[in-house]
Amino acid sequence: MKTIARKVELTPPQILVIGFAVMILIGSMLLSLPAASASGVPMRFLDALFTATSAACVTGLVVVDTGTYFTLFGQMVIMLLIQVGGLGFMTMATLFAFALKKRISLKEKLILQEALNQNSLEGIVRLIRKVMIYSLTIEFTAAVIFAVRWSVDLGPGKAAYYGIFHAVSFFNNAGFDIFGPVTGKFSSLTAYAADPVINAVSMGLIILGGIGFVVLSDLMDYRRNQKLTLHTKVVLSATGFLIGIGALIIFIFEFTNSRTLGPLDWSGKILASLFQSVTPRTAGANTLDIAGLRQATQFFIIILMFIGASPGSTGGGIKTTTFTTLVGAMIAMVRGKEDIVLFRHRLGKERILKAVTITMVALALVVTITMILSTTEDHAFLMILFEVTSAFGTVGLSMGLTPDLSDLGKILIAFTMFTGRLGPLTLAYALGPKAEKELYRYPEGKITIG
């Protein structure tokens, strides 16, 4: 890859796009083999491509039930795609380089910087080491807890495999599950809506995977440094606020809904509300029937999915820091202030412009794909908007539309997942012309706003 990159002078965003595309193509070919299908009949390549894209982009939208359709081989391919897609193929390549004691070049550091959405190269290799250690430790711990809990229902061997698969899936915010043979097709974790162990561990995995590796590293170093960076403070505050307000609104809206919270006791209602508030962080697992939620709740979840996780994480969306910047800009404008101040730090104008750009590009993508699918798919508008937003946020929640998508619909949703995982700006930089330095600036003009 280094030789090719040097010959054609690929930029870091272009290498990321090509790398993910190649990984998805390989996964598609493996999933379309007869050995991957439980029936022995090869999966349609388009369906295999959709599934591989969903796994590599850690989304979780599926056209077939993962647990019943795929063999152990097929499920292992999906789990590998989730792990590599969640941590990033360059992160995995760096791990092999460490193992072979190879030196990380400047070009590779630049690609890692782009992949992890970092502002500088300082400490990037050290961060990669921490990413691998934290990820494997968290996944292993959760897998053991899952295995112990599920051994009661599934037996030791099956429980161990289920524990590993779901620990990898949930930490990487993928949302894939293999409970089809146990609790029914496309059931996710609905059978465990009131189970405190499964809820607590799953939510812990989703949150840890969604806050970003930089934040994890900062938290681990807190005992030594006794301070947190501005980025970490913003991410933790925004994540806590969104989870808290989300759980409260879902609890209120669904309290009497007989298809969701209605039949549960108070502890079950609280757990289910919390889980449904956490999972739009781009996780995709659910303990309530998403199609059974009231329309107000479904629309609110669309907003949460659009915001998504945090930068440098396994999740998608416009990110919590972008959302916080926009809210900060609104508050500053209403109060007549010139600067956006967060935790006694002023944000630079380039950060604000980037936040606005990301949001507008993301909104344009979601609106455009939704409009096209509203023409090609014979389903309710809210269901289509939910599906598209879920794909962009790499969430994986669905109101049941995915298996019924037309071929064009699958292609468009797959493209949306791909764009959501890489980030709309990364894709734009990869496909757009190389930026040139401006030699002059136009005089400032004024227009009336509002």
Side-chain angles (χ1 to χ4, degrees), residues 298-303 305-306 363 365-371 373-374 379-393 397 399 401 413 416:
Q298 291 167 346
F299 187 75
F300 177 69
I301 289 177
I302 287 173
I303 297 172
M305 292 192 297
F306 186 75
L363 192 60
L365 175 71
V366 170
V367 169
T368 302
I369 300 296
T370 301
M371 287 173 65
L373 289 181
S374 295
H379 287 84
F381 174 77
L382 186 62
M383 181 181 283
I384 294 171
L385 178 61
F386 194 100
E387 191 86 3
V388 174
T389 310
S390 179
F392 166 73
L397 292 176
M399 291 168 62
L401 175 59
I413 291 295
T416 308

Side-chain angles (χ1 to χ4, degrees), residues 254-303:
E254 298 296 318
F255 188 83
T256 58
N257 189 345
S258 60
R259 296 179 62 185
T260 55
L261 294 185
L264 301 175
D265 58 19
W266 271 89
S267 61
K269 291 179 195 294
I270 293 171
L271 272 178
S273 298
L274 268 173
F275 195 95
Q276 262 55 232
S277 178
V278 168
T279 197
R281 294 274 70 70
T282 80
N286 57 285
T287 57
L288 297 178
D289 177 19
I290 300 300
L293 296 171
R294 292 191 168 112
Q295 286 191 346
T297 311
Q298 291 167 346
F299 187 75
F300 177 69
I301 289 177
I302 287 173
I303 297 172

